[in-house]
């Protein structure tokens, strides 16, 4: 097959994307058309990526943070011949012809778990740039530990929306501070948003802001100037000590007769005649849909494909020759090392006990000693969250081997960074106060959509944090997170449950875990907690069939156990069920569920210092929930629990009210 010219390769990508949007009668045409030259230069001449194995650990990463331009990425993956594990196309021409249709690998916004070659699920603006910080940080960490094996770069296409979102600023600030010089953001400065020109709401000098945050800033006047894009990327690869920001001026829907430069080109479906006009402008057959000229596939195979396959083969030889090569490969593939849970602490019964945030710190440190890929930190709250790894350095410029991250007061980018670390084969974790899931939730939700085992640690889990008052006391947050599909929410009742919950969380392969811990001390109970890994278990058994079942999580289980003793003294048969993780319990078979919560026992009381939303599935129509019906108050924790009825006495009273 004859080779084709770069211009034809670029214009083919433009119109392949446009035809897919037209066929779907849905999607975004303007940005894929405008950014095709930039994507072409990245893939064809810079990205080190083996199309036959899109998951090899030292590949360069390409992230489409401007996720609504998904057809640009799908078109590139198709013509570049990126493959699935079984050798089938990551994106076939049939997938492109069925853009945004059920059952195909070309959804409206890119999904990393669905389509090989998609590194990050994007669409909510800012998530791509936010996650890129973690992926670049992972590259720096791996390079510091294994300098002969890791040196990958991270390329990100982003937009005005990414720059406007708060997460974009958080991410830029953190990446600049970390001096992640393996990271480049290419900014589509097209001055267009859905409502109109950006000057309606956005007039700051973005390039100056990025320079102030420690970035190497490059300007390109025209996205069609491939030579300028090439020079900018060479500049990036030769820059040390700073991430690079390339400010690229473009025209949305470039080449379209009536829509070029118009905000209507953002999401409006371009009509057939407009697309024909654009094809004529680019010299392509106007009446031929999904046109791919002869030589296109060979063109990309000779550049993108050849460079990536050769780089991968050379890297594989290095890995095979490395003394720890197999262990490194296994760890980055998500395999836990042998004996990873052998030395976890066991806590003796203790009426005083300790806060679950404290036992969490002990368990986390024990895990880190066995799992070298476990790393992370807190959003400026490590002393409160107990997430600092002892005897480990900080991850800072010049000490990228460190495992303690300092995210600063940036809760959102803390969690996107965790996702980036996890997507890179590490076991990333991030921590803050539980109430600040309000700031983190987009990243938590995307971790679940991406089906990755990110670890999120939240402390100060209820009104039990006390005097800081209702602004810091989470009420609705457990319900919100439990309502998020695929997220495993753990709220353990004592130190030994903390251990068992961490063990269960570390075994997750496709789901994020939220660990929710107390500020105040919890008594360490004299109980076998091994079944905590089943999500719910009988922590307070009774003889025969119970008259009543008391159930709860976290700090409230102690009150249920105390109420059990009082009720049994009155002649009742009482079972107490601790339910640290509803999601795990729902995975158990019916026989186990019935052994814990038998249908015939309808007298049930649940207690949790949070919203009662969701508890009715377990207490049934005849049960009652002792829960928060309002926000909290500012007072010492003990007073608040009494004030809001989280006491053994109120449990007894509620049980007796059931008749």
């Amino acid at each position: 097959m004859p080779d084709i010219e770069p211009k034809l390769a670029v214009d083919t990508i433009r119109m392949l994307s446009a035809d897919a949007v037209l066929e779907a009668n849905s999607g975004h045409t303007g940005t894929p058309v405008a950014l095709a030259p930039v994507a072409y230069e990245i893939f064809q001449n810079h990205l080190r990526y083996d199309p036959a194995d899109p998951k090899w650990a030292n590949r360069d990463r390409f992230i489409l943070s401007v996720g609504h331009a998904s057809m640009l990425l799908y078109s590139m993956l198709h013509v570049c011949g990126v493959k699935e594990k079984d050798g089938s196309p990551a994106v076939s021409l049939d997938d492109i012809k069925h853009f945004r249709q059920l059952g195909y690998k070309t959804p409206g916004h890119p999904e990393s778990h669905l389509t090989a070659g998609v590194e990050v699920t994007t669409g909510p603006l800012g998530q791509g740039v936010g996650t890129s910080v973690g992926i670049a940080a992972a590259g720096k960490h791996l390079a510091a530990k294994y300098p002969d094996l890791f040196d990958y770069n991270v390329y990100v296409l982003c937009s005005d929306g990414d720059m406007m979102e708060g997460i974009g600023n958080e991410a830029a600030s953190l990446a600049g501070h970390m001096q992640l010089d393996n990271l480049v953001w290419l900014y589509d400065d097209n001055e267009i948003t859905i409502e109109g020109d950006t000057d309606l709401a956005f007039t700051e000098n973005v390039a100056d802001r990025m320079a102030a945050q420690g970035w190497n800033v490059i300007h390109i006047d025209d996205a069609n100037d491939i030579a300028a894009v090439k020079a900018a990327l060479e500049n990036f690869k030769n820059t040390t000590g700073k991430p690079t920001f390339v400010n690229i001026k473009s025209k949305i829907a470039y080449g379209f007769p009536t829509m070029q430069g118009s905000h209507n080109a953002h999401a409006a479906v371009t009509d057939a005649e407009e697309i024909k006009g654009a094809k004529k402008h680019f010299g392509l057959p106007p009446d031929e849909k999904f046109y791919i000229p002869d030589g296109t596939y060979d063109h990309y195979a000779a550049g993108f494909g050849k460079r990536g396959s050769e780089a991968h083969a050379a890297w594989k030889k290095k890995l095979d020759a490395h003394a720890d090569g197999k262990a490194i490969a296994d760890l980055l593939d998500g395999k836990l090392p042998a004996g990873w849970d052998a030395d976890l602490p066991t806590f003796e019964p203790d009426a005083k006990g300790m806060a679950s945030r404290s036992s969490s710190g002990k368990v986390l440190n024990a895990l880190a000693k066995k799992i070298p890929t476990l790393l992370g930190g807190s959003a400026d709250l490590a002393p409160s969250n107990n997430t600092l790894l002892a005897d480990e350095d900080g991850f800072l410029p010049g000490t990228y081997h460190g495992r303690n991250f300092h995210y600063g007061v940036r809760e959102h980018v803390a969690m996107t960074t965790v996702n980036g670390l996890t997507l890179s084969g590490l076991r990333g974790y991030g921590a803050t106060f539980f109430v600040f899931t309000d700031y983190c939730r987009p990243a938590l939700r995307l971790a679940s959509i991406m089906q990755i085992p990110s670890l999120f640690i939240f402390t100060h889990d209820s009104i039990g944090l006390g005097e800081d008052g209702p602004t810091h006391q989470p009420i609705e947050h457990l319900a919100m997170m439990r309502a998020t599909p695929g997220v495993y929410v753990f709220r353990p009742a004592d130190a030994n449950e903390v251990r068992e919950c961490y063990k269960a969380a570390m075994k997750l392969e496709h789901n994020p875990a939220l660990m929710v811990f107390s500020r105040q001390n919890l008594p360490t109970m004299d109980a076998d907690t091994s079944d905590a890994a089943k999500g719910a278990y009988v922590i307070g058994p009774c003889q025969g069939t119970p008259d009543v079942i008391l159930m709860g999580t976290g700090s409230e289980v102690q009150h249920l156990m105390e109420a059990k003793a009082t009720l049994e003294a009155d002649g009742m048969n009482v079972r107490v069920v601790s339910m640290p993780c509803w999601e795990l319990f729902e995975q158990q078979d019916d026989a186990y569920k019935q052994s814990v919560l038998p249908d015939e026992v309808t007298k049930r009381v649940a207690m949790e210092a949070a919203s009662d939303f969701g508890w009715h599935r377990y207490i049934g129509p005849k049960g009652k929930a002792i829960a928060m019906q309002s926000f909290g108050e500012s007072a010492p924790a003990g007073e608040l629990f009494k004030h809001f009825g989280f006491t053994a006495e109120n449990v007894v009273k509620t049980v007796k009210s059931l008749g």
Side-chain angles (χ1 to χ4, degrees), residues 210-512:
M210 298 298 288
Q213 290 177 320
W215 289 62
N216 165 42
V217 176
I218 302 169
H219 292 271
I220 295 177
D221 293 332
D222 183 1
N224 295 301
D225 188 348
I226 293 181
V229 177
K230 179 178 181 179
L233 293 178
E234 292 299 336
N235 181 308
F236 153 62
K237 288 186 283 188
N238 290 320
T239 296
T240 58
K242 291 183 176 183
T244 293
F245 182 78
V246 185
N247 197 120
I248 306 172
K249 291 290 186 180
S250 76
K251 291 290 186 183
I252 196 167
Y254 171 76
F256 280 61
T258 67
M259 300 188 74
Q260 177 176 308
S262 169
H263 71 93
N264 292 322
H266 171 81
V269 177
T270 306
D271 65 33
E273 291 305 311
E274 185 79 8
I275 287 185
K276 285 182 180 181
K279 289 178 179 178
K280 290 177 182 178
H281 173 84
F282 294 120
L284 300 179
D287 295 315
E288 188 166 347
K289 295 177 69 173
F290 303 106
Y291 174 67
I292 299 178
D294 290 346
T296 298
Y297 299 116
D298 290 339
H299 176 77
Y300 287 102
F304 171 84
K306 183 174 185 293
R307 181 180 62 256
S309 61
E310 290 176 351
H312 186 193
W315 182 83
K316 186 69 165 59
K317 287 182 180 179
K318 289 183 181 179
L319 182 69
D320 291 343
H322 197 284
D324 298 320
K326 186 178 186 308
I328 294 167
D330 284 348
L331 282 169
L332 294 179
D333 198 35
K335 297 178 182 176
L336 293 169
W340 65 273
D341 59 348
D343 296 327
L344 298 183
T346 297
F347 302 90
E348 295 300 320
D350 181 358
K352 180 182 178 182
M354 66 181 72
S356 53
R357 63 169 174 161
S358 299
S359 51
S360 164
K362 297 178 186 298
V363 175
L364 187 68
N365 269 274
L367 287 168
K369 285 180 169 55
K370 296 286 188 176
I371 306 173
T373 53
L374 182 63
L375 75 174
S378 176
D380 197 49
L381 291 170
S384 291
N385 297 150
N386 286 274
T387 50
L388 199 69
L389 299 182
D391 304 320
E392 293 285 349
D393 290 331
F395 181 93
L396 297 166
T399 57
Y400 293 125
H401 66 276
R403 296 166 70 186
N404 285 309
F405 278 65
H406 302 280
Y407 299 119
V409 187
R410 306 183 186 96
E411 293 88 357
H412 195 170
V413 80
M415 304 315 167
T416 62
T417 300
V418 169
N419 287 344
L421 294 171
T422 306
L423 284 163
S424 305
L426 305 176
R427 296 305 296 261
Y429 69 85
T432 185
F433 291 164
F434 190 37
V435 76
F436 297 139
T437 52
D438 289 340
Y439 295 165
C440 309
R441 191 171 179 276
L444 311 185
R445 182 174 185 269
L446 279 186
S448 187
I449 292 175
M450 289 189 285
Q451 300 180 11
I452 57 174
S454 293
L455 181 62
F456 303 111
I457 300 170
F458 298 105
T459 68
H460 297 59
D461 66 347
S462 73
I463 57 172
L465 66 88
E467 291 88 345
D468 277 341
T471 61
H472 282 54
Q473 293 167 2
I475 301 301
E476 69 275 31
H477 300 72
L478 280 168
M480 286 195 299
M481 297 318 306
R482 286 170 178 155
T484 307
V487 175
Y488 284 63
V489 181
F490 295 86
R491 188 175 185 244
D494 75 351
N496 288 313
E497 275 198 12
V498 168
R499 180 193 63 242
E500 296 304 318
C501 287
Y502 264 113
K503 286 170 65 176
M506 294 307 298
K507 292 176 183 177
L508 296 174
E509 296 180 354
H510 304 292
N511 302 86

Side-chain angles (χ1 to χ4, degrees), residues 20 69 129 133 194 278 399 602 618:
V129 293
V133 177
I194 291 175
T399 57
T602 59
Y618 297 120

